[in-house]
Amino acid sequence: MMSGHLPDGKVLAYGTATASYQVEGSTNADGRGPSIWDTFAAKPGTIVDGSDGSVACGSYERLDDDLALLGELGVAFYRFSIAWPRIQPDGQGRIEPRGFDYYDRLVDGLLDRGVAPMATLYHWDLPQPLEDAGGWPARDTALRFADYATTVHERLGDRVQLWATLNEPWCSAFLGYAAGKHAPGREDGDAAYRAAHHLLLGHGLAAKRLHESGAEGVGIVLNLTPVWPETDEANGAARVVDAIHNRVWLDPLVHGRYADDLLDLAAPLRDDDVVRDGDLATVAGSLDWLGVNYYTPARVAVADPDAGDEGGLGQMTQAYPGLADAAFRPRAPRTEMGWEIEPAGLEDLLVQTAGRVPGVPLLVTENGAAFGDDERDADGAIVDPDRIDYLDTHIAAVERARQGGADVRAYIAWTLLDNFEWAEGYTKKFGLVEVDPETLRRIPKASYRWYADHIRATP
Ligand code: IFM
């Protein structure tokens, strides 16, 4: 099933995923420095339940429990992220060897169980000193990221073959710097566009260094969305949403340029001091694979105050700097996140993306759903037929996309454990496994058993 660094694609390879700040806890252990999420979560009003990631699932202390769950699940690979502030507490320079020890043990424990490790280098926990120096809107952060990526690859590259540079840079740039919903909580559209460019540059520089060191499995993970206009009048707004959500990443990665309609909206991307000579050439052609995270489609309508569309995209207006007259109209049924459940969106997205990134294999790097989880069996384990149905129908959509010609090699369920869901704190549960908030004991849900059976039934 795995051929070299990537699954061979003969059948869909399965995995599951987590991210460091969402599961590890132990945020003061072994010399870890502060990250922007520690700082952001400490500000009143940022996280709905007032929580943070200081305990999370306690995975830093409970590595053996997590490894046992992964081994029993039978996944081909595990996608985890490395916490930059554990490796470089200052974001540059000094390396903290104790931080590396955890990931060494994680990687070795996975390989012992026949699970291929897939390491994400950045899943949002920027070292706070780098934010204090300007964060992603500052060019230097991209250079520091490339150094950090090189350091991690030097240590783990003998055992890790699949590398994701960034997870969902759209969230880092636009939720973090424009909408203020994610760390660091800034509300400045121009800063978000500068951040987007520097995230891409950081990816490109890191991918170049990893390739020069012999890596062959380097990709990026994007939360792309199919954009469906509700009416012909909404076509223009839908094109803008597609530009800010999807093409801002894909055009530079594939063609080495930003599209004209995006440049019309985004003054920083027309600034020679931000987008310097050679930057886009560094980004273009940097992918051995592309990770696609999918949860829901974007149905775009022209905003109508009479339909309750006050403020255009409502609370998301600021996340799309330059777009004001559009509204998102998710249909029922929806998950606890309010996200429409629509497997056809995943099929559409994969077929469209395969056409946009010709020759680059796709991995579905996240897909899953938050539900209420209020039913239990006689042993007290959560019975979650709605999550099973979500996974089942979305896996079927991936298979349809494959039959339709999209080169999709893997499906990775989000997520192994109920965890810290960013601004939603612990109120939204996506896990295949429940985590008791008091004892941190792991209790597999029915969906975990279903996924294990499904994986075993795959030839
Ligand atoms: O929990 C997040 C994850 O960190 C990034 N992708 C979306 C998930 C659900 O919101």
Side-chain angles (χ1 to χ4, degrees):
M1 185 177 287
M2 302 287 290
S3 110
H5 49 282
L6 277 179
D8 61 21
K10 286 183 188 137
V11 292
L12 205 52
Y14 291 98
T16 188
T18 58
S20 47
Y21 191 72
Q22 293 183 273
V23 300
E24 286 178 0
S26 300
T27 44
N28 291 318
D30 293 340
R32 177 190 180 277
S35 82
I36 55 173
W37 271 93
D38 301 295
T39 309
F40 182 70
K43 285 188 203 142
T46 54
I47 311 296
V48 294
D49 57 2
S51 66
D52 59 35
S54 57
V55 175
C57 307
S59 287
Y60 193 75
E61 295 287 337
R62 288 164 181 75
L63 179 56
D64 291 344
D65 293 357
D66 292 353
L67 288 170
L69 284 166
L70 289 160
E72 204 186 313
L73 189 56
V75 280
F77 47 89
Y78 179 50
R79 177 176 170 240
F80 60 94
S81 81
I82 293 172
W84 187 349
R86 286 200 195 282
I87 305 303
Q88 285 185 307
D90 304 319
Q92 57 188 314
R94 186 174 62 87
I95 309 294
E96 173 51 78
R98 291 173 295 171
F100 260 133
D101 291 345
Y102 171 71
Y103 299 108
D104 259 335
R105 288 190 293 122
L106 171 55
V107 166
D108 290 343
L110 291 170
L111 292 171
D112 284 349
R113 289 163 178 79
V115 179
M118 175 176 186
T120 302
L121 289 160
Y122 184 73
H123 197 128
W124 306 353
D125 36 7
L126 185 71
Q128 184 61 40
L130 291 185
E131 176 58 27
D132 297 341
W136 285 108
R139 187 177 179 90
D140 191 55
T141 302
L143 310 185
R144 301 288 70 80
F145 176 69
D147 289 346
Y148 152 73
T150 308
T151 300
V152 176
H153 184 259
E154 278 166 6
R155 174 74 176 250
L156 300 176
D158 57 336
R159 285 155 291 155
V160 176
Q161 296 197 304
L162 276 170
W163 295 93
T165 53
L166 306 175
N167 178 75
E168 301 184 352
W170 183 84
C171 297
S172 300
F174 294 99
L175 293 182
Y177 290 95
K181 303 277 175 213
H182 277 191
R186 286 207 239 163
E187 297 182 38
D188 174 349
D190 277 0
Y193 283 119
R194 288 200 306 277
H197 180 69
H198 295 139
L199 283 152
L200 276 168
L201 178 63
H203 156 83
L205 292 169
K208 192 163 183 292
R209 297 252 201 110
L210 266 56
H211 283 138
E212 283 166 2
S213 306
E216 294 177 354
V218 184
I220 192 170
V221 169
L222 302 175
N223 56 323
L224 302 175
T225 187
V227 185
W228 294 341
E230 288 281 79
T231 58
D232 286 350
E233 289 71 46
N235 283 343
R239 203 172 154 72
V240 173
V241 171
D242 183 47
I244 299 177
H245 211 105
N246 301 326
R247 288 185 285 118
V248 64
W249 316 111
L250 295 177
D251 285 339
L253 286 162
V254 179
H255 306 294
R257 61 170 163 72
Y258 292 112
D260 290 343
D261 56 350
L262 182 68
L263 292 174
D264 288 346
L265 292 169
L269 300 182
R270 301 193 300 269
D271 182 340
D272 295 345
D273 202 38
V274 176
V275 183
R276 297 193 190 165
D277 276 354
D279 284 4
L280 291 168
T282 300
V283 174
S286 53
L287 297 180
D288 300 317
W289 55 271
L290 173 65
V292 177
N293 291 357
Y294 171 82
Y295 292 88
T296 192
R299 292 187 193 273
V300 178
V302 175
D304 172 5
D306 294 337
D309 291 335
E310 298 155 41
L313 293 163
Q315 57 167 344
M316 293 301 285
T317 308
Q318 286 167 282
Y320 294 87
L323 176 72
D325 59 349
F328 287 133
R329 296 265 175 76
R331 297 183 186 169
R334 302 185 201 174
T335 69
E336 288 284 301
M337 297 291 281
W339 297 345
E340 175 178 344
I341 300 171
E342 181 46 279
L346 179 53
E347 180 185 358
D348 183 28
L349 179 64
L350 291 171
V351 171
Q352 183 191 51
T353 305
R356 285 177 164 186
V357 293
V360 178
L362 304 181
L363 312 181
V364 176
T365 31
E366 284 181 29
N367 177 243
F371 289 110
D373 287 353
D374 37 25
E375 196 189 328
R376 290 181 186 271
D377 67 16
D379 297 326
I382 287 173
V383 179
D384 52 348
D386 32 18
R387 184 171 292 103
I388 292 171
D389 191 58
Y390 187 99
L391 297 175
D392 194 19
T393 53
H394 284 76
I395 289 169
V398 179
E399 292 293 4
R400 288 198 301 277
R402 280 161 54 86
Q403 282 151 23
D407 180 11
V408 189
R409 307 277 181 96
Y411 175 90
I412 304 181
W414 183 265
T415 174
L416 179 66
L417 305 168
D418 284 344
N419 61 41
F420 178 74
E421 177 52 30
W422 309 110
E424 304 295 328
Y426 297 94
T427 65
K428 300 290 186 289
K429 298 170 189 310
F430 284 79
L432 301 169
V433 176
E434 179 187 17
V435 178
D436 183 307
E438 303 300 322
T439 63
L440 302 184
R441 189 164 78 89
R442 278 87 167 115
I443 311 153
K445 304 180 189 177
S447 54
Y448 171 94
R449 310 264 174 234
W450 177 87
Y451 196 40
D453 289 346
H454 180 86
I455 293 169
R456 283 199 179 96
T458 304

